[in-house]
Amino acid sequence: MSAQKDRWVCSLVFLLFCASSIPECGSASLQQEPSPQHYFSGLEAGKTSLAFFTPSVSPGAQPFLEQIESSAEALQDYGVSVVKVNCPKEDVSRYCGKENALRKAFLFRGNLLIREFPTDALFDVNSIVANVLFALLFNEVKYVETLADLENIENVLKGKSNMVFAYVPATGTAEHRAVMEAAFVYGTIHQFVLTTEAALLKATSHDDPDVSSAWLLFCHCQQATEPAQPCRRTALAQPLTLLSIHRHLKLMGAPLVTEVAEDPEKISTVHLQLGLPLVFILSQKETYEADRRTAEFVAWQLLGKAGVALLSRDLVDLNVLHRSNVALKTPDEGMPIQYLVLEDTDEVITLVEDKNKVKQIQEDEQEEEEEEDEDEKENNNQDIQDDQVVEAVSRDKKRELPLEHILVLTEENFHSSLSKAARTVVLFYASWEAVSLAVLRSYSEVASLLKGTPGVLLSRVNCWDWPGLCSLENVTQFPTMRIYKEGQQSVTYGGMWGTKELSSFILLSQVSCPLKLATMDEAEGYLRGEFPPELSSHHHTSLLGVFSTATSEAREAFEEAGNILSGHIRMGMYFEDDALSLSQKYSVSPPALLLARSGGRSVEGIALSKHSVQDMVQMIRYQLLDIFPEITVSNLPQYLQLRKPFLILFSAGDISQMENEEMLKLAKGRTQQTFVACWLNLKKTPVGHGILRTYFSTTPSLPVLLWVNLHAGGQVFKFPSEQSITEMNILSWLEKLQAGLEIPSSTLSEEDWKPPLPAYDFLQMMEPSVPELSPHPGDTPAQHPPQSPGGDTARGDTATREEPSQESTAEEVGSPGRGLRGTAPRLAARDKQGKRHSEL
């Protein structure tokens, strides 16, 4: 709708309000009829009239007559005429009898009686107009008394139209009149619902509302496309009047986010026309998707308080600081647009709600710029960046790293140094790149931890200084860590960059993978946990491949899989003449895998039915997953790869022994599990609080057991809190879920949450793909092995798996859009990172 048309509609409703509120200014008056016979004979089909019958002389009727006459003009705007019928003294009919005269008023449509009102309910103009319109719109405006009635109406409207839900303390009030007049105008667009039940108002509000005041909620049911998805509700913040309702409905009907590609000074939206500010989120094409999500999140928070627009820097030439990410335009005439640098969406919301915040932010920015200029002159240091990794590195940039145990490699000594130890670990990094510097800190801790370990040499190459060497080694991203062993292909690391993970990879890489065992005693000792000395401190699950002379194809695939998984998994291999006897001891026949968990206390035999290298890698990774794992930030991606529903127990600490035993029985109870049974400790992994807030409006009491299907519908089901967590109770509940007898507690958005920039897709750089085998310089670069197809190994599915990082990333960081992480200033900040670290 154009701005001119918006103003015209607003003016029309304003005039309607005046006409209904100031009766003396119009020409309509009370119609006088000489007799009941004359009145009834003159009724026309389709015409509505409000009539009251009174004797010709009735002094007691004077106060009521004044009010009914005052309402005549207001009712005339809605096509209702007000008629006073004079009853002769001898008339004792239904309408003129003593029991009705002056005690009741009657609403007719044509000759049909719609409603009769006691005159004491029509005590002023507001009550007369409200009650008459309530009667006329009886079928259009739903009156509800219980929460179930309200939810039934919402369910019918979902995906179709929106709802306006109003609470008034009593009928016949000014607020009741305002709601009915609004329903008369907007009833064909929205479903109006009315209640006078205070208990229902409290049931629909998270706060404790004042039941002595009227309330109005706009329910966005049209956007709730799933039956279990609740309708978002936006409350009217102003006192309930016809004008405030009209203003609220105009705001609710405006686009949630407006995309603009012109000078903000020329932009005019319905928000500015109604006296509200307009917030611009500054964006560019590289960060469009993240900025769009941020703008939508902010718009929902400010709905009814301000408008939100997405402004593209690529299409508009703004003469402002490149790091500005938010602009504010107020409806005040002649006020300039304020361009600001904000850290997160909370600051945007505060900016709108607190007008003094603009001045404070601008003063803080000016002081910060002056401090940065001084720091630049004194220390020539990097600026604090918007990204958390960059900020952490920049904050600690003066801290000395203990790099004395790490050999510096150059083009001159690189190849000669590779022969100094049995295994040479090389970290390729760039001294200007924040993630490289963060990993270098972990790498220095690994060097201190592994100091004196025989056969291991830790080294580093700064690709900023030696780009030719890094290009020759086919290093295409920073950081990259490889292990070189003379006569073998180098192995590239592809896991988490923590100290524990790096050191484990380096130590595991010392042992042949797979480790060839020569005797039955060695094989059984391996299963019991008798490992080489290098692995004595590592409690990994041991995997032993058993092969006969007739299964050479499977054995070769197993060996190649061991080369691929070197450093990640502990693998042994036995293929002597008595291999059949060893495998049959565990009820399998060669080729087979024997898994020894918990230090060899339990050994599981698994037959090998597929002999390709890729299938073997998939199966090994799948079998090594814990039966009932504790979910953490670091291991979540590998369980998301399975693309199965999660049966996850959220706990405020360690789970009890009884809960652990029952969940373990459930996890082990089926040979082909269709879901992942797991648990999450909120003390160790506090990101779980954000996940629960995404699932529910508030954090439920713990422990809480949930069924979450991230990969099919995103429905979240909550195990009944009154039931104890036992295998039988859970199985019974799961059967109800499968039969469709349970209603989900919430449904997650299908929106694809991506990293703000490709460079920040850290999960893609980690474990999901098979580790790369890098050749020596001069060899043909090795092809990247295909990605593992996820967790469908049990079904034999070999289709390529989609990357699991997107949905998990959104949940791990909490609710969507909390930070202004994808906006253009991130790219601007990256331009300033070219200064080299002084200590490197």
Side-chain angles (χ1 to χ4, degrees), residues 220 223 232 234 256 295-303 308:
H220 307 265
Q223 297 184 356
R232 286 178 179 261
T234 305
L256 183 63
E296 289 177 354
F297 177 81
V298 171
W300 278 115
Q301 303 302 309
L302 295 178
L303 195 57
V308 176

Side-chain angles (χ1 to χ4, degrees), residues 339-350:
Y339 291 90
L340 308 164
V341 181
L342 302 184
E343 290 295 329
D344 54 39
T345 53
D346 287 338
E347 289 195 1
V348 181
I349 296 166
T350 304

Side-chain angles (χ1 to χ4, degrees), residues 386-655:
D386 199 21
D387 177 65
Q388 294 177 0
V389 176
V390 179
E391 181 179 355
V393 171
S394 185
R395 184 176 59 246
D396 298 338
K397 55 195 170 186
K398 296 181 180 179
R399 172 183 166 191
E400 290 290 334
L401 295 179
L403 303 176
E404 60 273 8
H405 302 304
I406 303 174
L407 178 65
V408 177
L409 300 183
T410 66
E411 289 181 349
E412 288 78 15
N413 69 352
F414 180 81
H415 296 292
S416 59
S417 299
L418 295 183
S419 59
K420 289 183 178 180
R423 280 173 175 76
T424 303
V425 184
V426 183
L427 177 69
F428 298 90
Y429 68 100
S431 58
W432 52 267
E433 202 264 333
V435 178
S436 290
L437 298 179
V439 171
L440 188 62
R441 189 167 302 151
S442 297
Y443 194 60
S444 66
E445 294 172 357
V446 173
S448 300
L449 190 65
L450 300 183
K451 178 184 177 182
T453 301
V456 177
L457 174 65
L458 268 64
S459 60
R460 57 188 173 101
V461 175
N462 185 354
C463 293
W464 173 271
D465 294 327
W466 307 104
L469 174 59
C470 295
S471 177
L472 190 64
E473 289 299 304
N474 197 31
V475 175
T476 58
Q477 66 181 28
F478 306 121
T480 293
M481 189 181 83
R482 289 184 182 152
I483 296 181
Y484 292 84
K485 182 180 179 182
E486 190 174 357
Q488 297 182 7
Q489 288 181 318
S490 63
V491 178
T492 301
Y493 178 67
M496 298 288 285
W497 289 103
T499 303
K500 179 180 178 182
E501 291 80 7
L502 291 174
S503 59
S504 174
F505 176 78
I506 293 170
L507 290 176
L508 280 175
S509 298
Q510 288 184 273
V511 181
S512 299
C513 188
L515 180 65
K516 296 177 182 179
L517 305 170
T519 67
M520 178 84 79
D521 290 340
E522 285 185 3
E524 292 189 326
Y526 178 82
L527 292 174
R528 288 193 302 269
E530 298 172 4
F531 311 122
E534 301 91 335
L535 304 182
S536 58
S537 61
H538 288 261
H539 305 289
H540 293 263
T541 297
S542 298
L543 184 145
L544 179 64
V546 182
F547 305 93
S548 64
T549 55
T551 56
S552 59
E553 181 184 354
R555 178 166 60 88
E556 291 172 1
F558 186 80
E559 287 190 78
E560 184 60 29
N563 292 331
I564 293 174
L565 297 173
S566 176
H568 298 275
I569 295 174
R570 184 163 52 204
M571 294 172 57
M573 185 170 66
Y574 187 70
F575 54 94
E576 300 300 326
D577 295 337
D578 52 357
L580 180 61
S581 301
L582 177 63
S583 61
Q584 287 181 341
K585 184 177 179 180
Y586 300 101
S587 303
V588 288
S589 299
L593 297 181
L594 301 180
L595 257 69
R597 303 181 189 272
S598 305
R601 287 193 294 271
S602 63
V603 178
E604 178 184 358
I606 303 166
L608 284 174
S609 57
K610 297 185 178 181
H611 301 157
S612 72
V613 176
Q614 181 176 339
D615 291 337
M616 198 81 72
V617 170
Q618 288 176 217
M619 184 176 186
I620 291 171
R621 280 181 166 166
Y622 178 75
Q623 294 296 338
L624 288 176
L625 294 177
D626 290 338
I627 297 174
F628 177 52
E630 177 187 352
I631 293 298
T632 63
V633 173
S634 59
N635 71 10
L636 177 62
Q638 58 186 314
Y639 290 99
L640 283 173
Q641 291 170 30
L642 303 180
R643 302 194 66 79
K644 295 180 180 180
F646 275 35
L647 181 66
I648 181 167
L649 179 64
F650 287 82
S651 174
D654 291 334
I655 59 177

Side-chain angles (χ1 to χ4, degrees), residues 25 46 50 53 55 74 147 170 193 225 233 236 263 311-312 324 383 421 573 645 664 685 723 728:
C25 66
L50 177 67
F53 298 80
L147 182 61
V193 177
T225 55
R233 295 169 179 169
L236 171 63
D263 188 348
L311 176 62
S312 174
S324 298
D383 294 337
M573 185 170 66
L664 269 175
T685 312
Q723 295 187 24
M728 294 302 296

Side-chain angles (χ1 to χ4, degrees), residues 627-703:
I627 297 174
F628 177 52
E630 177 187 352
I631 293 298
T632 63
V633 173
S634 59
N635 71 10
L636 177 62
Q638 58 186 314
Y639 290 99
L640 283 173
Q641 291 170 30
L642 303 180
R643 302 194 66 79
K644 295 180 180 180
F646 275 35
L647 181 66
I648 181 167
L649 179 64
F650 287 82
S651 174
D654 291 334
I655 59 177
S656 68
Q657 182 178 354
M658 185 274 290
E659 291 168 343
N660 185 65
E661 291 175 355
E662 293 296 326
M663 292 296 290
L664 269 175
K665 285 194 294 184
L666 185 71
K668 295 177 179 178
R670 301 179 183 181
T671 55
Q672 299 290 335
Q673 279 288 9
T674 57
F675 58 87
V676 177
C678 55
W679 70 289
L680 190 146
N681 187 342
L682 294 177
K683 285 187 177 180
K684 291 184 181 178
T685 312
V687 72
H689 290 287
I691 296 173
L692 287 177
R693 284 193 295 271
T694 302
Y695 294 165
F696 308 97
S697 56
T698 57
T699 303
S701 59
L702 300 174

Side-chain angles (χ1 to χ4, degrees), residues 157-178:
L157 295 176
K158 285 179 181 178
K160 300 175 184 177
S161 60
N162 298 316
M163 180 177 75
V164 179
F165 173 58
Y167 162 80
V168 292
T171 58
T173 59
E175 292 85 0
H176 183 207
R177 173 184 174 179

